Amino acid sequence: MSIRKQLRLCCSLLGVVAPLFFPASAYAEAHYDPAMRLFRLDGGTVTYAFGVNSAGALQPIYWGPRLAASDKLAAKAIPDLSGFEPSGSITPQEYPGWGGAFYTEPALKLAYPDGVRDVVLTFVSGHADGETATVELSDIRRPLHVTLHYTIDPATGIVGRSTIIRNDTKTAVRIDQASSAAWSLPANTDYHLHYLTGRWAAEWTLQDRALTDGTTVIESRRGSTGMQANPWFAIDRAGLTTEESGPVWFGALAWSGSWRISIDRNPLGDVRVVGGFNPFDFAYRLQPGETLETPVFYGGYSGQGMGGASRLMHRFEMTKILPAPKPRPILYNSWEATEFAVDESGQMALAEKAARIGVERFVMDDGWFGARNNDHAGLGDWTVNRQKFPNGLKPLIDKVHGLGMEFGIWVEPEMVNPDSDLYRAHPDWVINFPGRPRSEGRNQLVLNLARRDVRDYVLKAVDDILSNNDIQFLKWDYNRNWSEPGWPQLDPQDQPKIYVSYIRNLYGILAKLRKRHPKLEIEDCSGGAGRVDLGIMGLTDQIWASDNTDPFDRLSIQDGFTHAYAPGVMMDWVTDSPNWVNNRSTSLGYRFLSAMQGALGIGADLNKWKEADFAEAARMVAAYKEIRQTVQGGDLYRLIRPTDPAGRAATFYVAPDKKQAVLFAFLHSSTKLDRQPNIQVIGLDPARQYRVRAIAASDADSQTQSGAYWMGHGVEIPMTGDFQARGLVFEAQ
Ligand code: GLA
């Protein structure tokens, strides 16, 4: 008997409700009641329930704060409202097929070769065990089967949903739309929708719009996740929700290819969120006996506002998504210092300087391979450039290791420059439509990873680099989106499978590399944050949040990022001032405090630094090492968002045991001798005494007060001038 079953048995023998014994954060259960045909998932502070209604359809029943075990739940179909609003269309479904009289967004749409395009799914069987539930649905007439998988995370109550579609008919079926899940929210009139949009060097803008009747679509048609929208949403209630209180429903898709999430409110006020593969230009032919599995769509609920929702996401990602969560080493990256002009002596000189300030991982960026002297040539030729490295990479790697740092290297294995030996040998390996132009982005084309030979080449190319050199870390880049997405070697009807097969092969390559090189860590980068989602996060260790390294711009970029993704994976670099993005000048201290809100890196040209810069950087790096666990693994409170009209911003990170906390505060510009209000922090233990001192300062100027004081009275942080920053460390006594 599993431990969980034993615990359940023991609880029922004692006649107690499990959550009394086990903190809500440690217990989850998926339960199926066959008599009522009711499924219920309980985890964290959340209950998610659905069941079979009188029409045999699987209907959502409840998603929100955790209910009592004794609460009675049942699926009740909504009767016809009129001839225009039939029951089957206005009654929410867990996974609606496009068939019958159904007018809202379906999860599944398909076509049979005989012209029938009707799929009506009804319940066949169900099963629940531990933290998972499985439901079998079938079409009412043809052996077209759908299996819904559910998991619930005990700590966060985040539900994972995915679907397998199986064709047991005797003919091929064309799947036109396959979503992972449909989520339903109770009818309300004051919902607000939040999602993240952006562009290169300007990712992670948080959008906020009233959810009124009609549909909002966020999507990528680009073959990868995209910067223009991220597959994450949150819905709150305007009248009830603030940053730290009130209901928020949120979700994120674990998929790194083209995706779509559509959020609609129907005229009855019901809200549905349907997401999965983007149906645009999609078609997936399923032969008899074949299956198509969707990505996982995760969904969660918090009663603690947007801050609570993102803390749940962070905790879930750090414990359930990341392959091997560990504190991030402080890295140095050569890109902004040298761009493509890397060579042995130049990199060695930078490595020596990086080691002086306490860097733990030295990363050589673009330019070390093939004929790569600019972005016009060389991509695809993964052999060391002997003009730049006459003795190969070994002398540099040995030097970096000798300085006590790990060695990492930049790769962009999915791409090729037309000016490369690889492209000259295999012009057919790129994504293209025959006889049509091959549009370039950054002078490069996309290799068709969906092809087996290309997949095998890419795997071998990277595997060889790792096997022939003592490398601990890859920065895996991806610097354009798809165009002309053809796969000419396949039957035209099967070519759109590229949207699925490419990504699955990418995931396969990353998984194999990790298996073959168990100590390897990988950074997910796509010209900044062009491919950030829970799918790629499950195979990588950290994320490059933006090519924009301006420390002031970064405040809003990082604020947007942390709504969906954990500070523990968010790479932030200290770079040169004035910054290349805005020509803005900021102090080294400001740049450090901005970058210390995530996983710290240095990307400055250390050759230009003065002794005083090295001394200050060494102090800040040492100070960061003392707070890194709290910043990367603690609870984040966004105290003052960078949208603040007074130009302030503040974040607060509290260690899980509340023994340490860190406050970062920023001011754009002081004006008119205005005084800044105290900053009231959140999440400390009110009864404990906390000694507070500036980051990288001695205890001499510290002040000790209770957690209650710091939260109630707040912290005085007077700042005057432009681009001011302060960092404070709270240590429990
Ligand atoms: C992308 C990355 C940068 C850098 C360059 C190298 O733009 O986001 O950090 O690695 O490629 O070409």
Side-chain angles (χ1 to χ4, degrees):
M1 191 189 295
S2 73
I3 290 180
R4 187 164 283 109
K5 277 190 183 148
Q6 287 178 36
L7 291 173
R8 277 210 300 270
L9 180 66
C10 141
C11 291
S12 60
L13 290 176
L14 291 169
V16 292
V17 185
L20 290 180
F21 258 110
F22 305 100
S25 64
Y27 182 80
E29 185 174 38
H31 182 74
Y32 173 52
D33 176 346
M36 294 296 294
R37 298 202 294 182
L38 178 82
F39 295 82
R40 183 174 155 159
L41 311 176
D42 295 284
T45 56
V46 177
T47 296
Y48 184 92
F50 54 97
V52 184
N53 66 25
S54 52
L58 197 65
Q59 182 181 338
I61 298 174
Y62 177 81
W63 185 22
R66 194 158 178 162
L67 302 177
S70 55
D71 287 332
K72 309 259 177 307
L73 300 168
K76 277 188 231 110
I78 301 170
D80 289 350
L81 199 65
S82 73
F84 299 98
E85 285 124 344
S87 170
S89 195
I90 56 176
T91 301
Q93 289 185 49
E94 280 288 286
Y95 199 81
W98 186 70
F102 184 82
Y103 307 113
T104 44
E105 183 68 17
L108 177 65
K109 183 176 182 312
L110 52 73
Y112 295 98
D114 62 2
V116 169
R117 305 189 308 283
D118 186 66
V119 57
V120 177
L121 298 170
T122 53
F123 177 78
V124 176
S125 64
H127 175 73
D129 187 25
E131 293 158 18
T132 66
T134 310
V135 187
E136 295 289 336
L137 307 175
S138 281
D139 178 53
I140 48 174
R141 290 287 163 78
R142 298 186 181 195
L144 189 288
H145 307 294
V146 167
T147 308
L148 307 183
H149 287 287
Y150 293 80
T151 56
I152 182 148
D153 176 43
T156 60
I158 289 180
V159 174
R161 294 185 54 188
S162 63
T163 299
I164 298 175
I165 300 147
R166 194 172 75 246
N167 174 22
D168 278 347
T169 73
K170 294 199 164 55
T171 60
V173 177
R174 191 188 71 218
I175 310 292
D176 293 320
Q177 180 165 350
S179 298
S180 306
W183 305 95
S184 298
L185 275 65
N188 272 311
T189 51
D190 61 351
Y191 282 131
H192 264 238
L193 170 67
H194 306 267
Y195 54 101
L196 292 158
T197 60
R199 58 173 196 276
W200 178 71
E203 303 92 329
W204 309 112
T205 303
L206 186 69
Q207 304 291 339
D208 174 353
R209 68 162 69 163
L211 245 185
T212 51
D213 291 3
T215 305
T216 304
V217 171
I218 53 173
E219 65 173 351
S220 162
R221 299 179 175 185
R222 297 164 177 267
S224 70
T225 323
M227 300 167 178
Q228 290 66 21
N230 188 268
W232 168 89
F233 73 91
I235 297 174
D236 66 9
R237 294 193 52 196
L240 293 177
T241 313
T242 66
E243 177 67 19
E244 290 300 333
S245 68
V248 179
W249 291 261
F250 57 93
L253 256 182
W255 186 242
S256 311
S258 289
W259 58 273
R260 190 174 87 172
I261 297 176
S262 90
I263 306 105
D264 80 271
R265 195 181 82 166
N266 71 13
L268 300 179
D270 289 324
V271 168
R272 260 170 257 212
V273 181
V274 182
F277 297 127
N278 195 331
F280 180 83
D281 194 41
F282 188 83
Y284 198 100
R285 193 157 60 150
L286 273 189
Q287 297 296 342
E290 281 187 347
T291 57
L292 172 62
E293 184 167 1
T294 71
V296 183
F297 197 171
Y298 293 98
Y301 170 83
S302 167
Q304 259 82 58
M306 293 293 282
S310 53
R311 286 189 291 277
L312 289 178
M313 278 293 279
H314 300 166
R315 185 166 176 189
F316 182 67
E317 289 158 0
M318 298 299 285
T319 55
K320 291 296 164 76
I321 300 288
L322 284 178
K326 282 199 285 294
R328 299 291 85 226
I330 295 166
L331 70 68
Y332 177 80
N333 178 292
S334 64
W335 175 245
E336 291 200 17
T338 62
E339 297 211 335
F340 300 94
V342 295
D343 62 22
E344 189 179 288
S345 60
Q347 292 293 301
M348 283 186 178
L350 285 170
E352 276 172 8
K353 294 183 168 109
R356 278 183 62 194
I357 55 178
V359 164
E360 297 158 322
R361 171 181 283 168
F362 181 86
V363 183
M364 175 164 66
D365 210 278
D366 202 349
W368 60 269
F369 53 90
R372 187 76 169 165
N373 297 316
N374 51 49
D375 62 15
H376 286 263
L379 265 187
D381 299 338
W382 297 107
T383 46
V384 178
N385 181 314
R386 291 279 167 169
Q387 267 134 29
K388 298 176 182 178
F389 297 91
N391 308 305
L393 298 177
K394 192 166 185 314
L396 173 62
I397 295 178
D398 288 349
K399 170 90 179 173
V400 167
H401 288 162
L403 289 164
M405 299 183 291
E406 294 183 358
F407 181 78
I409 201 160
W410 180 95
V411 290
E412 192 178 1
E414 299 158 78
M415 300 284 173
V416 66
N417 285 123
D419 185 0
S420 66
D421 293 341
L422 182 70
Y423 188 72
R424 282 182 281 273
H426 299 286
D428 56 324
W429 276 14
V430 300
I431 293 175
N432 76 95
F433 288 130
R436 307 290 306 169
R438 300 175 176 196
S439 301
E440 293 176 15
R442 208 194 189 200
N443 314 300
Q444 61 197 52
L445 299 168
V446 186
L447 290 170
N448 185 356
L449 235 60
R451 288 172 55 136
R452 271 195 194 174
D453 49 359
V454 177
R455 177 199 67 186
D456 294 347
Y457 166 83
V458 167
L459 174 62
K460 182 166 182 326
V462 184
D463 196 18
D464 284 351
I465 298 170
L466 295 171
S467 304
N468 299 333
N469 300 284
D470 193 1
I471 291 176
Q472 288 72 53
F473 172 81
L474 290 179
K475 174 175 172 184
W476 187 293
D477 213 336
Y478 181 86
N479 274 309
R480 62 160 296 185
N481 295 126
W482 294 6
S483 56
E484 301 99 14
W487 184 355
Q489 292 73 26
L490 290 200
D491 180 316
Q493 294 192 66
D494 287 322
Q495 287 194 23
K497 281 188 174 177
I498 192 171
Y499 287 109
V500 178
S501 306
Y502 182 111
I503 304 301
R504 295 237 190 277
N505 283 351
L506 168 66
Y507 289 168
I509 291 169
L510 291 170
K512 280 211 175 83
L513 289 172
R514 295 194 77 98
K515 199 155 178 234
R516 290 183 196 170
H517 306 277
K519 293 201 176 125
L520 176 74
E521 291 203 346
I522 303 175
E523 178 169 289
D524 165 36
C525 174
S526 173
R531 191 163 61 185
V532 180
D533 56 80
L534 296 186
I536 200 113
M537 191 189 266
L539 291 155
T540 52
D541 302 278
Q542 59 188 51
I543 292 172
W544 183 223
S546 179
D547 272 1
N548 185 337
T549 54
D550 178 285
F552 174 70
D553 283 3
R554 271 285 179 147
L555 298 181
S556 52
I557 285 172
Q558 294 167 186
D559 172 80
F561 183 100
T562 63
H563 276 79
Y565 302 104
V569 297
M570 177 174 73
M571 295 309 299
D572 309 324
W573 298 351
V574 172
T575 57
D576 289 319
S577 173
N579 188 279
W580 63 272
V581 178
N582 299 312
N583 203 25
R584 178 180 288 121
S585 295
T586 51
S587 68
L588 190 56
Y590 184 95
R591 283 176 268 153
F592 261 101
L593 291 175
S594 171
M596 284 160 96
Q597 294 172 94
L600 178 65
I602 318 284
D605 184 353
L606 302 180
N607 296 318
K608 293 191 196 140
W609 277 21
K610 304 201 170 55
E611 271 314 305
D613 298 327
F614 283 104
E616 183 172 358
R619 268 200 315 277
M620 292 304 253
V621 166
Y624 181 75
K625 288 176 183 167
E626 285 170 15
I627 58 169
R628 139 166 70 189
Q629 295 270 11
T630 300
V631 170
Q632 297 183 15
D635 282 330
L636 166 64
Y637 297 89
R638 289 179 292 260
L639 300 179
I640 306 174
R641 297 203 41 233
T643 46
D644 175 55
R648 295 198 305 164
T651 57
F652 193 56
Y653 299 76
V654 183
D657 61 7
K658 296 184 188 288
K659 284 193 177 147
Q660 190 187 58
V662 189
L663 174 65
F664 296 95
F666 303 86
L667 176 70
H668 181 277
S669 297
S670 59
T671 46
K672 302 172 189 162
L673 297 177
D674 282 345
R675 287 185 60 207
Q676 287 115 37
N678 291 356
I679 295 179
Q680 274 102 15
V681 300
I682 304 175
L684 297 178
D685 179 345
R688 272 190 186 160
Q689 293 287 313
Y690 288 88
R691 190 176 64 210
V692 178
R693 59 167 172 80
I695 283 178
S698 75
D699 279 343
D701 289 329
S702 66
Q703 202 192 337
T704 303
Q705 300 275 10
S706 69
Y709 173 92
W710 297 121
M711 295 192 288
H713 172 275
V715 192
E716 263 177 77
I717 308 189
M719 290 189 268
T720 52
D722 298 334
F723 301 111
Q724 294 295 307
R726 301 285 184 275
L728 299 177
V729 187
F730 295 61
E731 304 279 4
Q733 300 304 296

